[in-house]
Amino acid sequence: MDTSYPRDDHKRERAPGSPLPRDHLVWSIFNTLYMNICCLGFVALAFSVKARDRRVAGDVEAARRFSSKAKCYNTLATAGSVLLPLVLAALVVTGVLHLSKLAQESVGFFTYQLSPSDDEDQ
């Protein structure tokens, strides 16, 4: 008499030495609250919760897929939130430098003095 529970075909048992997939929940919460660029942090949070649910349910393969997606969206959210301000700061600095150069050239244009030879021609 077999008293074991029926196993679902889509659920795969993990190997005894393999670690459980990470759900990246803390990173997702951080990205959602502090660096939520284009709502990528919120999407990462949804995949992190799905990964945790699948891991608790024992579906390691689905947990691994959701964990991978959560990590990808977290990486994009973090990179976007770090790189975007750096690019904007670089644009502001180059814009200020360009405008200061233009201002110096225009001051030189408006302070043009006539040479003494120009006065004699008139």
Side-chain angles (χ1 to χ4, degrees):
M1 179 168 156
D2 185 21
T3 59
S4 64
Y5 294 104
R7 291 186 351 183
D8 293 334
D9 290 336
H10 70 280
K11 292 184 181 179
R12 294 190 182 122
E13 298 293 325
R14 71 180 176 98
S18 68
L20 287 172
R22 297 183 62 191
D23 55 14
H24 307 288
L25 188 63
V26 175
W27 190 13
S28 299
I29 290 171
F30 179 75
N31 278 332
T32 300
L33 294 177
Y34 296 109
M35 297 189 290
N36 195 10
I37 184 148
C38 298
C39 297
L40 292 175
F42 183 71
V43 174
L45 180 63
F47 281 116
S48 293
V49 170
K50 285 182 179 185
R52 179 166 282 196
D53 288 346
R54 292 289 88 206
R55 187 176 69 180
V56 169
D59 190 359
V60 178
E61 189 60 35
R64 198 174 317 276
R65 282 193 323 262
F66 288 133
S67 173
S68 175
K69 288 181 182 181
K71 183 179 179 181
C72 178
Y73 283 114
N74 276 321
T75 303
L76 288 173
T78 303
S81 297
V82 170
L83 292 178
L84 186 64
L86 290 176
V87 168
L88 289 176
L91 287 174
V92 167
V93 167
T94 56
V96 166
L97 291 174
H98 182 69
L99 286 176
S100 68
K101 183 178 176 184
L102 277 175
Q104 288 175 352
E105 290 174 0
S106 61
V107 165
F109 177 76
F110 288 118
T111 57
Y112 178 76
Q113 294 179 353
L114 296 174
S115 64
S117 62
D118 289 339
D119 290 334
E120 292 174 357
D121 290 339
Q122 291 178 353

